[in-house]
């Protein structure tokens, strides 16, 4: 009976409309969140397939399955799809939309129609990017960094791809504006800033980076298009331009973008660990403020991508220093997460396993970042597979695993059904193993001197490349198992009712699945987000 | 007087790697072991209820802000100090100019000698001036922990010293297009006397004889894009090119023409003039070839049947 009532009022079926249009023109933050979730996961799978193809090509020296031009296009598309169409919109667009308004006790975001426009801009940009692969001079072969002068000379379809990224950028800016406004204006009574869940805090810090940094990417991309179409020569040394200026402009956005990707992931982990330890988060304010510190300091470190570019040694010393400064707030978070476990009551269910492995993988990624931050050691590993391994530890081991944690933690709440625990644990084990075999090996390869973006390599790098490729298969096997188990569970699994994990944030106090208006009446926040004393399971 | 051997760039940087890796290992083990201990010790099967609701400790926060700060500042300082070693060329270094273009290397010495491998004397510092003819490349010499981008219009340099004879790989480290991964060569470190002999040997033209067109085509990187066996590469294959009828694009309009010697010459010095349809107009110009070199190249290309 109660199940029936819940079903009748849930956001899944009370709009009065049915079919596709009730989704793609919905202004409900939960529906938009799910639209984002399915589209970003779709692009993630596209990126995964491209990545697996790249690894198969690198399995042995020489040609394995494709020629060099195809390889160059594939790693470019892999990067563009994963970064612009999966990781950047992934957490804010999907889980931010689904969860954040409920966490702060709001009925929706401040600008629901703008929210829908964000998703549409994302889709339009994505379609343009996809079109660029199959039209004109073919898929771009510049790498996702679009470095000039190569990107202004190549005959491939760079202009259209760059235009697509430009459009996707506006989607990101609008989401940022929406979230900042929502978190400032729509908090429920009693929801003070220090009662905000840390996931919401991290989205707040992220939103500011989205608003402030993304326009610079937009400007830079317009300049690349002007360079190609109008021949402005701004980056062309033969006409008095400067290619290194492009690199500055590009990284002024693209380094802060790394924090757009990782900050909300840290927020997810900060929300999950206390719940599965039944203990308040350790150092709440430190974690909240360190998000802001990372967002601020992280905006000033872009030059560490350019230590070998020929920029001045003065710039190198400044950017190296700032890079080490930004390591500190990240370390603070790790220590606080670990301390949260102390004297708790820890349950190793799937969301917790993914969250804990986030800490380990992010730590490896962060620590290898110290090698990259120190000017002298960076010179050796810059532009090698060490960097590829490093950023996959941070982006995939970090953000990716946090997204998997969020999928296992929050999706059952929105579907009212759950996955099976045991296959989820096996999938986690496979992914964790395969991940390390793949990316740790890459770091060793880079240390031994194998440059990145190499279609072919010297025979001495052969054995380790084979190991990495085998790792990619283990990882893929785990991923398939995880997704099959998760979606099977969400659609046909056991009912998920109430608050089985004992979360204390507001999203666990509403019906499962949540009703369209989220709350019956006006919610009042009476306790902090990690105060488990009054939680009924 | 016996001079002490120069401290090589790799000798300067390897201890820094050890220091940072050591510190990282300690931190990672600390984090992992503590996490695993807590997870086992406070697992719900052993600890059905939490035994503490502590939510912070100012002293701990201060400790784990201050200690890592000191550690990372030490890394920063050490990293900067050794970076200066990379930037400070010892006096009396041998100067060589490395010219990078898609997708080949050319090294020229002060007396005009050129080579597609970087020959250097053992024990003497070498300063490599980095020049790009087209896009950004990167000079990467992993054995000596040396790397620098080669940016068109910008004067960059690297230095290194090989204290032992041997052959060391040089990679292009900045992505530069289709054959980026094929843009590799070596540093050949020879004992001082052998290097002097090599440098003095004249392979240049003159009365001594003709230039070897095939060797020149290899040295200039032609064969990276133009195959000899008919396989289409980044550019058209040289096999049977003479007399072939091709559709070319001249200033945006297509026309059909027969490949003759004049066309071959123009295609080397002004490759953008008539581009064979279906290929990208990306070949660098070789306008600075000597007449004898151009003759030899055309003769070689014509001879590929």
């Amino acid at each position: 009976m109660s199940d029936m009532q819940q079903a009748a009022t849930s956001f899944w079926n009370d709009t009065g409309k049915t079919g596709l249009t009730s989704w793609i023109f919905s202004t409900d933050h939960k529906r938009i969140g799910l639209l984002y979730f399915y589209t970003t996961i779709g692009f993630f799978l596209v990126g995964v397939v491209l990545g697996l193809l790249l690894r198969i090509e690198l399995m042995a020296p020489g040609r394995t399955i494709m020629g060099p031009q195809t390889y160059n296009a594939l790693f470019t598309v892999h990067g563009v799809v994963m970064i612009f169409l999966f990781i950047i919109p992934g957490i804010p667009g999907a889980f931010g939309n689904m969860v954040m308004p409920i966490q702060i006790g709001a009925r929706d975001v401040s600008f629901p129609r703008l929210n829908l426009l964000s998703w549409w801009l994302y889709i339009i940009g994505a379609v343009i990017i996809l079109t660029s692969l199959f039209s004109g001079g073919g898929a771009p072969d510049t790498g996702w960094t679009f470095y000039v002068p190569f990107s202004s000379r190549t005959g491939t379809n760079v202009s259209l791809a760059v235009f697509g990224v430009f459009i996707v950028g506006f989607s990101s800016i609008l989401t940022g504006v929406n979230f900042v406004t929502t978190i400032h204006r729509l908090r429920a009574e009693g929801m003070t800033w220090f009662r905000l869940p840390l996931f919401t805090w991290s989205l707040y810090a992220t939103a500011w980076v989205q608003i402030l940094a993304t326009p610079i990417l937009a400007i830079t991309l317009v300049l690349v298009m002007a360079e190609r179409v109008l021949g402005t020569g701004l980056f062309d040394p033969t006409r008095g331009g400067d290619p290194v200026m492009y690199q500055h402009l590009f990284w002024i956005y693209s380094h802060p973008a790394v924090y757009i990707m990782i900050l909300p992931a840290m927020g997810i982990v900060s929300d999950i660990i206390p719940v599965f330890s039944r203990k308040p988060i350790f150092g709440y304010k430190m974690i909240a403020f360190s998000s802001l510190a990372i967002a601020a300091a992280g905006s000033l470190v872009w030059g560490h991508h350019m230590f070998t570019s020929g920029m001045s040694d003065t710039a190198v010393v400044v950017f190296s220093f700032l890079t080490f400064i930004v390591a500190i707030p990240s370390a603070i978070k790790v220590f606080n997460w670990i301390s949260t476990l102390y004297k708790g009551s820890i349950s190793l269910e799937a969301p917790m396993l993914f969250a804990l492995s986030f800490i380990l993988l992010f730590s490896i990624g962060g620590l290898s970042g110290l090698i990259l931050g120190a000017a002298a050691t960076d010179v050796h590993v810059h532009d090698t597979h060490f960097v590829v391994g490093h950023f996959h530890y941070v982006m995939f081991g970090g953000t990716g695993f946090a997204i998997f944690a969020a999928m296992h933690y929050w999706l059952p709440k929105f579907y009212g059904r759950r996955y099976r625990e045991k296959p989820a644990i096996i999938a986690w084990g496979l992914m964790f193993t395969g991940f390390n075999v793949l990316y740790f090996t890459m770091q060793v390869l880079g240390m031994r001197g194998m440059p990145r973006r190499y279609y072919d390599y010297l025979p001495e790098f052969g054995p380790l490349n084979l190991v990495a490729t085998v790792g990619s298969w283990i990882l893929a096997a785990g991923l398939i198992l995880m997704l099959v188990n998760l979606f099977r569970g969400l659609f046909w699994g056991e009912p998920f009712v109430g608050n089985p994990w004992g979360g204390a944030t507001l999203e666990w106090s509403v019906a499962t699945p949540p009703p369209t208006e989220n709350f019956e009446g006006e919610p009042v926040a009476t306790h902090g987000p990690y105060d488990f004393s009054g939680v009924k399971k | 007087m016996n001079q002490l051997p120069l401290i090589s760039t790799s000798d300067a940087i390897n201890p820094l790697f050890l220091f940072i890796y050591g510190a990282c290992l300690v931190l990672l083990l600390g984090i992992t072991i503590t996490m695993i201990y807590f997870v086992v010790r406070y697992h719900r099967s052993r600890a059905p209820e939490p035994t503490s609701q502590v939510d912070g400790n100012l002293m701990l926060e201060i400790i784990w802000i201050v200690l890592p700060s000191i550690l990372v500042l030490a890394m920063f300082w050490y990293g900067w100090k050794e970076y200066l070693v990379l930037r400070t060329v010892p006096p009396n270094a041998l100067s060589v100019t490395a010219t990078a273009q898609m997708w080949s290397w050319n090294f020229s010495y002060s007396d005009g000698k050129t080579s597609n491998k970087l020959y250097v004397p053992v024990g003497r510092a070498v300063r490599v001036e980095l020049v790009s003819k087209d896009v950004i490349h990167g000079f990467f010499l992993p054995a000596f922990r040396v790397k620098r981008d080669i940016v068109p219009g910008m004067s960059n340099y690297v230095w290194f010293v090989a204290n032992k004879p041997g052959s060391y790989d040089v990679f292009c480290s900045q992505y530069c297009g289709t054959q980026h991964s094929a843009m590799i060569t070596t540093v050949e470190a020879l004992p001082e006397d052998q290097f002097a002999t090599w440098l003095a040997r004249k392979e240049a033209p003159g009365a001594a004889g003709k230039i070897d067109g095939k060797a020149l085509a290899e040295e200039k990187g032609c064969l990276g894009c133009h195959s000899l066996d008919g396989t289409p590469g980044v550019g058209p294959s040289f096999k049977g090119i003479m007399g072939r009828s091709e559709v070319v694009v001249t200033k945006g309009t297509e026309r059909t023409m027969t490949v003759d010697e004049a066309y071959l010459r123009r295609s080397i010095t002004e490759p953008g003039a008539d581009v064979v349809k279906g290929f990208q107009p990306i070949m660098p110009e070789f306008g600075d070839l000597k007449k004898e070199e151009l003759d030899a190249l055309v003769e070689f290309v014509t001879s590929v049947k």
Side-chain angles (χ1 to χ4, degrees), chain A residues 95-279:
Chain A
F95 293 101
N97 262 319
M98 272 188 262
V99 178
M100 184 272 284
I102 315 184
Q103 281 199 330
I104 66 170
R107 289 212 188 97
D108 208 315
V109 293
S110 285
F111 309 114
R113 271 174 286 195
L114 199 63
N115 203 14
L116 180 63
L117 177 65
S118 296
W119 182 75
W120 271 104
L121 286 175
Y122 163 74
I123 291 298
I124 293 166
V127 168
I128 294 175
I129 292 172
L130 293 182
T131 309
S132 79
L133 309 184
F134 305 105
S135 61
D141 62 342
T142 58
W144 80 280
T145 47
F146 303 113
Y147 267 23
V148 291
F150 184 78
S151 65
S152 52
R153 292 166 50 115
T154 177
T156 55
N157 215 350
V158 170
S159 303
L160 197 61
V162 160
F163 182 64
V165 173
F166 175 82
I167 301 283
V168 172
F170 277 96
S171 152
S172 188
I173 296 171
L174 294 183
T175 302
V177 170
N178 219 336
F179 281 12
V180 166
T181 319
T182 306
I183 294 168
H184 270 279
R185 303 300 300 169
L186 294 187
R187 281 172 290 125
E189 191 188 335
M191 181 56 77
T192 60
W193 282 92
F194 292 123
R195 279 183 182 164
L196 283 182
L198 286 166
F199 178 56
T200 295
W201 259 112
S202 72
L203 287 171
Y204 180 73
T206 307
W208 277 111
V209 185
Q210 288 177 295
I211 296 170
L212 294 175
T214 318
I216 301 169
L217 177 74
I219 294 164
T220 312
L221 296 177
V222 168
L223 291 176
V224 170
M225 285 186 272
E227 193 88 355
R228 287 177 65 87
V229 179
L230 308 173
T232 45
L234 206 59
F235 305 130
D236 180 356
T238 60
R239 282 179 288 169
D242 182 0
V244 175
M245 184 172 71
Y246 170 83
Q247 298 178 19
H248 279 290
L249 287 170
F250 180 81
W251 289 115
I252 287 175
Y253 166 75
S254 295
H255 194 78
V258 170
Y259 298 103
I260 296 179
M261 306 174 211
I262 195 71
L263 277 173
M266 293 167 157
I268 290 171
V269 170
S270 307
D271 264 17
I272 289 178
I273 288 178
V275 171
F276 290 85
S277 310
R278 292 196 181 155
K279 222 182 128 242

Side-chain angles (χ1 to χ4, degrees), chain A residues 69 72 141 155 278 280 283 286 308 310 313 328 336 339 343 345-346 376 379-380 382-383 447 453-454 456, chain B residues 17 21 42 44 47-48 50-51 53 55 61 64 69 79 83 87 145 147 149 154 172-173 175 178 180-181 280:
Chain A
Q69 188 62 32
N72 294 344
D141 62 342
R278 292 196 181 155
M286 295 308 292
T308 68
D313 293 342
I328 298 165
N336 279 300
S339 305
K343 290 195 174 174
S345 169
I346 296 162
V379 168
H380 176 62
H382 183 76
D383 275 328
M447 204 46 217
R453 296 171 170 178
Y454 259 35
D456 193 7
Chain B
F17 268 112
Y21 276 131
Y42 303 112
R44 199 157 289 172
T51 46
Q53 289 293 316
D55 62 357
E61 300 285 353
W64 65 49
S69 299
Y83 177 79
R87 305 296 300 145
R145 312 273 188 245
K147 183 183 291 117
D149 286 5
M154 193 172 195
C172 176
S173 55
Y175 175 71
T178 314
H180 169 53
S181 64
Q280 301 290 339

